[in-house]
Amino acid sequence: MATGDRQWEARAKCGTQVAEALFVEGTVQKRVKTLCSDCPVRTECLAYALDNRIEHGIWGGTTVRERRSLLRRRPTVTSWRLLLDAARTEHANSGRLLPLSGADRRRTV
């Protein structure tokens, strides 16, 4: 994804909100973050904010402080979009039982 690609934005749950409502400070942020909880493009939104080092507002259900913390903990990540997409795929597949290879079977016995 190019850092400027925002096609996901049209599907964002917050699209009906006044932009200023998403750029709040203090305790109001907690209330605004709940809007993101079941947003269909939360991952894309968060990745966009992290990849572009956005320093204002609620993005992907995170505050500026939370995003800074993520960036500090993972300084070598070059594409948050790729990382988060891979994590989402892994999570979606985690409920499935995949056949083990011979080497994996030996390790579990």
Side-chain angles (χ1 to χ4, degrees), residues 23-64:
F23 294 89
V24 294
E25 295 182 12
T27 58
V28 181
Q29 290 179 334
K30 189 173 185 175
R31 184 172 37 87
V32 174
K33 285 172 50 169
T34 62
L35 181 66
C36 304
S37 64
D38 63 344
C39 181
V41 293
R42 183 176 177 176
T43 302
E44 291 85 348
C45 181
L46 176 57
Y48 180 83
L50 291 168
D51 282 338
N52 291 286
R53 307 299 196 261
I54 296 178
E55 293 278 331
H56 307 284
I58 302 296
W59 289 82
T62 63
T63 64
V64 172

